[in-house]
């Protein structure tokens, strides 16, 4: 007869985390979650693959959620009125973008295009809403962490604008 106690002690021992969970652990929105919470979130994540020059989304498209780079590179850009491409960022493994779409359905303010063969993890507003219904504590922690990320990015933008205004004033 097998001893169930000993079987349960070692069940899952040395089990490695998935690439998805390892990547999620790098994203501040999922900061300080337990292994069980990461497994719950992993069930909601959508993995998508893009070839070079494939659009992840285009400017003015409805925002549906955020993306996290599992591998590859993505360029975030917008074309100005003359069609000149303004690159805001080139993102790589572990970076994330589009997180404001978890909060509202406003159109995208920029386009995102794969530069290399790219694998993205998508976490969408509908997934967050479902999580808030099923596990309000976890959903609210994601929202609080998301607010912290948005505030940090807003502060950086304010600093950049202040610096640009100082440069403009010194050039006048």
């Amino acid at each position: 007869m097998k001893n169930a106690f000993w079987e349960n002690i070692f069940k899952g021992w040395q089990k490695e985390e998935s690439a998805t969970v390892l990547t999620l652990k790098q994203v501040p929105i999922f900061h300080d979650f337990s292994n069980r919470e990461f497994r719950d979130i992993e069930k909601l994540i959508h993995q998508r693959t893009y070839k070079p020059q494939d659009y992840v989304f285009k400017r003015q498209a409805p925002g549906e959620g955020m993306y996290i780079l599992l591998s590859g590179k993505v360029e975030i850009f917008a074309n100005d009125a003359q069609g000149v491409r303004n690159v805001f960022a080139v993102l790589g493994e572990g970076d994330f973008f589009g997180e404001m779409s978890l909060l509202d359905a406003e159109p995208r303010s920029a386009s995102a295009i794969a530069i290399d063969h790219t694998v993205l993890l998508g976490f969408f507003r509908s997934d967050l809403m479902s999580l808030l219904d099923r596990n309000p504590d976890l959903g609210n922690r994601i929202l609080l962490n998301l607010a912290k990320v948005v505030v940090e990015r807003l502060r950086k933008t304010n600093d950049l604008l202040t610096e640009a205004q100082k440069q403009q004033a010194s050039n006048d």
Side-chain angles (χ1 to χ4, degrees):
M1 179 173 163
K2 289 185 174 181
N3 186 329
F5 175 75
W6 287 107
E7 284 182 21
N8 288 335
I9 282 180
F10 296 108
K11 185 176 183 176
W13 185 64
Q14 289 186 327
K15 183 178 179 184
E16 291 188 27
E17 292 177 322
S18 69
T20 297
V21 169
L22 289 171
T23 301
L24 291 175
K25 285 183 173 186
Q26 298 176 48
V27 178
I29 292 168
F30 305 109
H31 182 68
D32 281 340
F33 289 174
S34 70
N35 288 334
R36 181 172 185 227
E37 290 167 330
F38 277 114
R39 285 192 303 273
D40 289 345
I41 293 167
E42 184 177 26
K43 293 174 189 170
L44 300 173
I45 297 292
H46 307 270
Q47 185 170 310
R48 296 189 175 161
T49 303
Y50 297 84
K51 295 179 288 211
Q53 301 307 305
D54 280 353
Y55 278 89
V56 178
F57 53 77
K58 292 185 178 181
R59 185 174 187 211
Q60 297 302 316
E64 298 172 342
M66 69 176 290
Y67 294 90
I68 306 155
L69 276 110
L70 193 58
S71 65
K73 288 187 178 175
V74 169
E75 181 178 90
I76 309 296
F77 71 95
N79 293 328
D80 66 15
Q82 290 75 35
V84 176
R85 189 178 195 130
N86 293 309
V87 176
F88 303 127
V90 175
L91 305 173
E93 186 176 316
D95 290 331
F96 61 97
F97 58 97
E99 66 279 357
M100 289 192 313
S101 291
L102 290 174
L103 299 173
D104 66 25
E106 290 296 309
R108 299 284 186 179
S109 60
S111 297
I113 194 167
I115 298 173
D116 298 331
H117 289 281
T118 300
V119 179
L120 296 177
L121 303 174
F123 183 62
F124 301 108
R125 188 179 329 98
S126 59
D127 301 321
L128 178 58
M129 294 303 128
S130 172
L131 183 62
L132 281 164
D133 286 340
R134 285 192 336 270
N135 188 340
D137 179 57
L138 182 57
N140 282 317
R141 286 178 34 226
I142 289 172
L143 287 173
L144 181 60
N145 288 342
L146 178 59
K148 290 175 184 177
V149 167
V150 171
V151 166
E152 181 181 330
R153 290 189 175 182
L154 182 58
R155 283 193 178 119
K156 285 181 182 177
T157 301
N158 285 342
D159 291 345
L160 289 171
L161 285 171
T162 301
E163 189 59 36
Q165 288 172 342
K166 286 179 185 177
Q167 293 236 334
Q168 181 70 29
S170 68
N171 291 337
D172 289 344

